[in-house]
Every structure is written in structure tokens, then in C-alpha cells.
Amino acid sequence: MGHNEHSAGTPAVRLDIWLWAARFFKTRALSKHAIEGGKVEIHGVAGKPSKAVHVGDVLKIARGEERFEVVVAALSEQRGPAAAARLLYKETEAGLAARLAAAEQRRLEGAGFAKPPTKPDKRARRLIRALGDIDAL
């Protein structure tokens, strides 16, 4: 194990394995990729895949547009069902509030404008035909 503030006897799990076991990422490879991409911080410092995770560690995880701030509650090297995975961490109050606020913000932004339909409607198709393919000019 690496040298850190925990004693050698404290149980620990590799960061990449713990994130996968806690179901933050679908595969260990994705977990490792996220860590190497600087998307995971442990006590405010960018993690390494082999970094030892201990109970009580504070992790910041960026996954897509979501940001999680969690305290490690338990260790596991086995990926189980989602209900079991949720027991491995406790989201911090501040982290949870920020995450829900960001999700609501995205929802409002998404509702603010009509997303383009997959196909142009009948009127738009008629215009496109009448005008020809503008991009081809």
C-alpha cells in the first residue's frame, strides 16, 4: 500500500475497484479512465487508480454532468446490486444539495426550449424540398 495518513493495518481497497464496486462506473476500465482523467478527488487531491481508499475518506466524483461528494462508509471489492452499493458511501449534505440543484437547473434549461424533433415536420420538409438542399450550394 502507498504511504498515507492511515496506519498499515487499516483495511483498504484500490480506488478504481471501490468506485466500480460502489457502482459509480459500469466497468473497472471506465472507473480507471475517469480517475486518470482527473475526474476523481480523494481529500481534495486528484486520485490514482491504485490509491488506497479507507472508511471515512471524502471523495469527489465527476460523472458526466453529475458531481458527487461522498464519504466512504464501507469497503468492497465485489460489485453487488445497487442497494448494496449504496451502503458503501454516504453522500455529504452539501454535495447532495449541489447535485440536486444542478440537476434541477439542467431540467429547467432542457424544458426552456423545444428539442428539435428527430425529423423535420411536414411543413419544414416541404420548405426543404422547395428550397433544395441549402448546404449543397
Side-chain angles (χ1 to χ4, degrees), residues 26-116:
K26 275 199 170 70
T27 65
R28 283 223 13 225
L30 283 172
S31 166
K32 192 171 177 203
H33 186 70
I35 299 164
E36 286 170 348
K39 304 261 190 259
V40 181
E41 287 182 3
I42 185 161
H43 294 297
V45 183
K48 291 190 177 71
S50 61
K51 176 86 174 131
V53 174
H54 302 80
V55 170
D57 284 350
V58 178
L59 305 181
K60 284 189 176 155
I61 304 153
R63 187 181 68 189
E65 292 185 334
E66 286 189 290
R67 303 284 175 273
F68 296 89
E69 186 176 87
V70 302
V71 178
V72 177
L75 301 176
S76 176
E77 296 191 1
Q78 297 295 312
R79 185 178 174 91
R86 278 194 294 274
L87 302 175
L88 298 181
Y89 61 88
K90 187 175 185 324
E91 221 170 331
T92 64
E93 294 289 333
L96 180 62
R99 185 165 68 83
L100 294 178
E104 179 66 6
Q105 186 64 37
R106 285 197 300 275
R107 193 184 68 75
L108 291 174
E109 284 168 7
F113 60 90
K115 291 188 170 55

